[in-house]
Amino acid sequence: MPKSQKNALSAQDWAEAALDAIGRRGVEGVAVEPLARELGVTKGSFYWHFTNRDALLTAALARWEARETDEVLARVQQETDPRARIQRLVTEVNTSRRASRIYTALSSAGKPSFVREYVARVSRRRLQFLIDCYAALGLAPERARQWALQTYSVFLGSLQIRRDLPDEWPAAEDPAFADYVRFLMVSLLPPEAGADDHDSGDTVDTPADTARIVAQSRH
Amino acid sequence: MPKSQKNALSAQDWAEAALDAIGRRGVEGVAVEPLARELGVTKGSFYWHFTNRDALLTAALARWEARETDEVLARVQQETDPRARIQRLVTEVNTSRRASRIYTALSSAGKPSFVREYVARVSRRRLQFLIDCYAALGLAPERARQWALQTYSVFLGSLQIRRDLPDEWPAAEDPAFADYVRFLMVSLLPPEAGADDHDSGDTVDTPADTARIVAQSRH
DNA sequence: GTTTATCCATACGCCGCCGTATTGACAGAA
DNA sequence: TTCTGTCAATACGGCGGCGTATGGATAAAC
């Protein structure tokens, strides 16, 4: 049972290439023969690893789901303060352009219907994570849910704006970016931990954490 | 010069059908022959009205751009109070499911590259409209821009959530929907007209206007 | 009633992609 | 060396969509 020839491709290599193609050309752009050309092989290789194109998409989606739930949330959960977690999640918008494009492509894909299930699961876990963060701040369940929906909307909308109007969005190295993140945090964090309403009081932001987390945003 | 036969199709009919197909199947789903089947004709009709598929997409995009800028903004501009305009724009999310799907499909389309130009123009005009609204409230230009970006992010993100997680989103007839809109308005409206910062003070919402505008949201 | 312009049907060739079948190269086990 | 399992190349048939060519069909103009 030789496990690896010289430059043998694995199913994971194909799945990763498919994810790349999703990010660059959308789900419809995941075609077997062009993908094989990009990998320097022919279809003969593909149909040894997978039964058909849907199997490749399923593998790519499974890979994506695992990455976007366990890994990302685990990274954010390194923060202990719920406020820091929320802010970290917002700044994560600017971490990976590739991940953003993959998400928007998947979210708007219609053709293989099972794509929507993966997107729904990932979105649900992200939203639930935010709900838990706001609940940890002492908000009532419905209140936490409203805050989480608002924050997740800002998160997704930011992806969209960076895609549609890239020049209208402050670059990560621009000081206006840090300004904008601080501005957002005022709206996205309830004014007082344990309070149930948010239109009174101040002393909201923690500038030290803000600067630290913003500095972590790469690219 | 007979201007209309019995049941003759016009170029506008084709463009409208193309917009419908964009909303239902995405830009890639705009295919000449399936569209002709849906319209009860054959390709022979299409290639009389248009030179090729790109010309159809261009016509559909021009139609969409005119509708999403002049018409929508004119409708919102019926409101005189800038706060009411902003709230009206947010509630417009729930007005037309069709328009939402068309927008998200166009925004994530990659293949005909000129699609991005139309999307960019529409997004830019929407964002500028919001910036003007916040500037009309007396905010400094950079501040108005931050508020507008935040509000437009919420707007776009709401579209996305309603698409990915429709059951997590309150229905328009659900009282939770009006609650959520009121909640959003607290974050999306600066606390005091003429103020330059927004983390102090209260007396934000105007419940009468809120109820009136929410009631106008149809479907 | 012929003519003309408008609108559509039919038939064709082309290309890109899917999936299958078959064969081949190559590495380790025997 | 021979055998066997792993990975890939080649060749083939099929399908769906694009664009063209050509020939009706119909209604108005004259």
Side-chain angles (χ1 to χ4, degrees):
Chain A
M1 317 75 177
K3 218 38 185 302
S4 71
Q5 308 231 81
K6 282 270 285 275
N7 293 328
L9 260 56
S10 68
Q12 276 76 27
D13 294 331
W14 280 97
E16 200 57 44
L19 273 180
D20 244 82
I22 289 173
R24 285 185 289 110
R25 299 188 297 263
V27 175
E28 318 280 327
V30 180
V32 176
E33 284 157 301
L35 229 57
R37 280 192 290 271
E38 291 178 14
L39 290 174
V41 293
T42 62
K43 315 191 308 181
S45 169
F46 174 81
Y47 284 99
W48 191 90
H49 294 286
F50 298 92
T51 65
N52 53 19
R53 178 179 175 270
D54 277 8
L56 171 65
L57 286 177
T58 302
L61 285 169
R63 216 172 159 74
W64 174 75
E65 179 177 2
R67 205 172 289 167
E68 291 299 312
T69 55
D70 305 328
E71 299 190 17
V72 166
L73 292 187
R75 225 166 60 221
V76 174
Q77 270 171 343
Q78 291 175 351
E79 309 281 345
T80 53
D81 179 25
R83 294 164 177 272
R85 285 185 178 179
I86 294 166
Q87 180 162 347
R88 174 81 173 254
L89 214 60
V90 171
T91 56
E92 286 276 333
V93 173
N94 284 68
T95 56
S96 168
R97 200 175 196 82
R98 179 177 181 269
S100 307
R101 298 188 74 86
I102 291 177
Y103 173 81
T104 53
L106 289 177
S107 174
S108 65
K111 278 208 10 192
S113 57
F114 56 86
V115 177
R116 302 196 61 76
E117 306 172 10
Y118 287 83
V119 174
R121 276 197 298 271
V122 167
S123 284
R124 206 180 304 275
R125 286 195 59 175
R126 288 174 174 177
L127 184 62
Q128 189 57 50
F129 179 83
L130 280 173
I131 292 175
D132 294 343
C133 285
Y134 284 107
L137 291 178
L139 296 178
E142 293 86 18
R143 262 307 202 227
R145 183 183 171 73
Q146 289 177 327
W147 281 99
L149 273 176
Q150 176 186 246
T151 298
Y152 194 44
S153 291
V154 170
F155 176 89
L156 293 179
S158 300
L159 293 184
Q160 200 87 340
I161 293 180
R162 286 215 318 152
R163 184 187 176 89
D164 294 351
L165 303 171
D167 42 326
E168 306 279 347
W169 195 260
E173 57 273 10
D174 193 333
F177 173 71
D179 278 355
Y180 183 56
V181 171
R182 269 192 297 275
F183 170 84
L184 279 183
M185 281 306 123
V186 178
S187 294
L188 299 185
L189 286 180
E192 196 65 33
D196 194 28
D197 206 351
H198 67 294
D199 53 347
S200 65
D202 41 8
T203 70
V204 166
D205 45 355
T206 58
D209 274 347
T210 301
R212 180 172 55 82
I213 294 169
V214 168
Q216 287 178 355
S217 74
R218 22 193 168 126
H219 187 71
Chain B
M1 314 79 173
K3 218 40 186 300
S4 70
Q5 306 231 79
K6 284 265 290 271
N7 295 327
L9 261 55
S10 69
Q12 276 76 28
D13 295 331
W14 280 97
E16 201 56 43
L19 273 180
D20 244 82
I22 288 174
R24 286 186 287 111
R25 298 187 299 263
V27 175
E28 319 281 327
V30 180
V32 175
E33 284 159 290
L35 228 58
R37 280 193 290 272
E38 291 178 13
L39 290 174
V41 293
T42 63
K43 315 192 309 180
S45 170
F46 174 80
Y47 284 100
W48 191 90
H49 294 286
F50 298 92
T51 66
N52 53 18
R53 179 178 175 271
D54 276 9
L56 171 65
L57 287 177
T58 301
L61 285 169
R63 218 172 157 74
W64 174 76
E65 180 177 2
R67 204 172 290 169
E68 290 299 313
T69 55
D70 305 328
E71 298 191 17
V72 166
L73 292 187
R75 227 168 55 222
V76 174
Q77 270 171 342
Q78 291 175 352
E79 309 282 345
T80 53
D81 180 26
R83 293 164 177 272
R85 286 185 178 179
I86 294 166
Q87 180 163 346
R88 174 82 173 253
L89 213 61
V90 172
T91 56
E92 287 275 334
V93 173
N94 285 67
T95 54
S96 168
R97 199 174 199 82
R98 179 177 181 268
S100 308
R101 298 189 74 87
I102 291 177
Y103 174 81
T104 54
L106 289 178
S107 174
S108 66
K111 279 209 5 195
S113 57
F114 56 86
V115 177
R116 303 197 61 76
E117 307 171 10
Y118 287 83
V119 174
R121 275 197 298 271
V122 168
S123 284
R124 206 180 304 276
R125 285 196 60 175
R126 289 174 174 177
L127 184 61
Q128 189 59 49
F129 179 83
L130 280 173
I131 291 177
D132 293 343
C133 284
Y134 284 108
L137 290 177
L139 295 177
E142 294 86 18
R143 260 312 199 226
R145 183 183 171 74
Q146 288 177 327
W147 281 99
L149 272 176
Q150 177 185 247
T151 297
Y152 194 45
S153 292
V154 170
F155 176 88
L156 293 179
S158 301
L159 292 184
Q160 200 87 340
I161 293 179
R162 285 214 319 152
R163 184 187 175 91
D164 294 351
L165 303 171
D167 42 325
E168 306 279 347
W169 195 260
E173 57 273 11
D174 193 334
F177 172 72
D179 278 354
Y180 182 56
V181 171
R182 269 191 297 274
F183 171 83
L184 279 185
M185 281 305 123
V186 179
S187 294
L188 299 185
L189 286 181
E192 196 63 34
D196 194 28
D197 207 351
H198 66 294
D199 53 347
S200 65
D202 40 7
T203 68
V204 166
D205 46 355
T206 58
D209 274 347
T210 301
R212 180 171 55 83
I213 294 170
V214 167
Q216 286 178 354
S217 73
R218 24 195 169 128
H219 188 73

